């Protein structure tokens, strides 16, 4: 499933987002198949974890833009002002590093809670729930494979007739 996602998506971040979407979709199908409150709690924990990662990525991107803008501004000022700006920048960076460490700890704790809840649910639900989850994941992977196949077939059809015949002949070997 991971290689299918990385082939059809440009960047590693987009690949992780696609993988997260597939997991959420699979778990959503699983949640609707079973009304268990434990499953809903587990799904909520996974969704919260994914949302927190998405928000963290947005904040990192904003921080990078801010640091680049501030760096350009600092270069245009005189030496005394540059020193005070760099000191303030260092303090902000240190605070951001500490906040990131706290958020990482919170994410790790939330991930452990979600993992424990999923483990308890899986142990309690038995083999049938696990099979439903794997079937949902398989369906998502099959949909992705079919989309890739369709896209490749469309590209093949867009080739000139001679090139298409040569490509089909090559594939037949």
């Amino acid at each position: 499933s991971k290689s299918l996602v990385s082939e059809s998506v440009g960047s590693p971040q987009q690949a992780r987002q696609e993988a997260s979407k597939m997991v959420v979709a699979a778990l959503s199908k699983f949640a609707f198949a079973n009304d268990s409150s434990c499953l809903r709690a587990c799904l909520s924990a996974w969704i919260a974890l994914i949302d927190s990662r998405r928000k963290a990525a947005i904040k990192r991107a904003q921080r990078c833009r801010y640091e680049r803008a501030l760096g350009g501004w600092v270069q245009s000022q005189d030496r005394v002002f540059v020193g005070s700006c760099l000191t303030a920048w260092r303090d902000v960076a240190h605070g951001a590093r500490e906040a990131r460490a706290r958020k990482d700890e919170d994410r790790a704790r939330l991930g452990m809670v979600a993992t424990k809840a999923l483990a308890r649910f899986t142990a309690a639900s038995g083999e049938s729930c696990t099979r439903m989850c794997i079937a949902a994941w398989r369906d998502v992977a099959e949909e992705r494979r079919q989309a890739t196949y369709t896209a490749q077939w469309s590209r093949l059809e867009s080739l000139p007739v001679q090139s298409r015949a040569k490509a089909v002949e090559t594939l037949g070997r």
Side-chain angles (χ1 to χ4, degrees):
S1 170
K2 186 173 183 180
S3 65
L4 289 173
V5 170
S6 63
E7 289 174 8
S8 64
V9 178
S11 72
Q13 182 181 10
Q14 289 174 334
R16 283 192 300 275
Q17 288 174 348
E18 279 297 314
S20 293
K21 286 178 185 177
M22 289 187 333
V23 169
V24 168
L27 287 175
S28 293
K29 285 182 181 180
F30 188 59
F32 286 109
N34 189 345
D35 286 331
S36 171
S37 61
C38 183
L39 176 62
R40 290 186 188 276
C42 180
L43 182 59
S44 296
W46 276 107
I47 290 172
L49 180 64
I50 290 169
D51 282 344
S52 68
R53 286 183 179 172
R54 181 184 54 80
K55 288 176 184 176
I58 290 170
K59 284 185 180 182
R60 278 193 302 273
Q62 289 172 342
R63 187 176 53 251
C64 284
R65 285 192 301 267
Y66 172 74
E67 289 174 355
R68 270 188 262 128
L70 186 59
W73 180 69
V74 165
Q75 289 176 355
S76 68
Q77 302 298 319
D78 63 352
R79 286 182 173 243
V80 175
F81 195 62
V82 169
S84 62
C85 286
L86 288 176
T87 302
W89 190 1
R90 184 195 65 212
D91 293 343
V92 167
H94 181 71
R97 211 174 294 127
E98 289 176 351
R100 192 177 328 120
R102 282 192 303 271
K103 285 182 182 179
D104 288 344
E105 289 172 6
D106 290 344
R107 262 189 251 127
R109 186 178 38 80
L110 181 60
M112 298 237 344
V113 168
T115 302
K116 285 180 183 178
L118 184 61
R120 287 182 189 146
F121 177 75
T122 303
S125 297
E127 191 174 312
S128 64
C129 290
T130 304
R131 284 184 184 175
M132 287 183 348
C133 186
I134 290 171
W137 281 327
R138 185 192 65 230
D139 292 345
V140 169
E142 178 61 27
E143 289 172 10
R144 174 56 84 190
R145 187 194 64 76
Q146 186 63 34
T148 302
Y149 174 77
T150 304
Q152 289 175 350
W153 186 256
S154 296
R155 272 188 270 157
L156 181 65
E157 286 180 336
S158 69
L159 292 174
V161 175
Q162 291 175 344
S163 298
R164 186 182 323 153
K166 188 173 183 177
V168 169
E169 180 182 314
T170 303
L171 290 174
R173 292 181 189 176

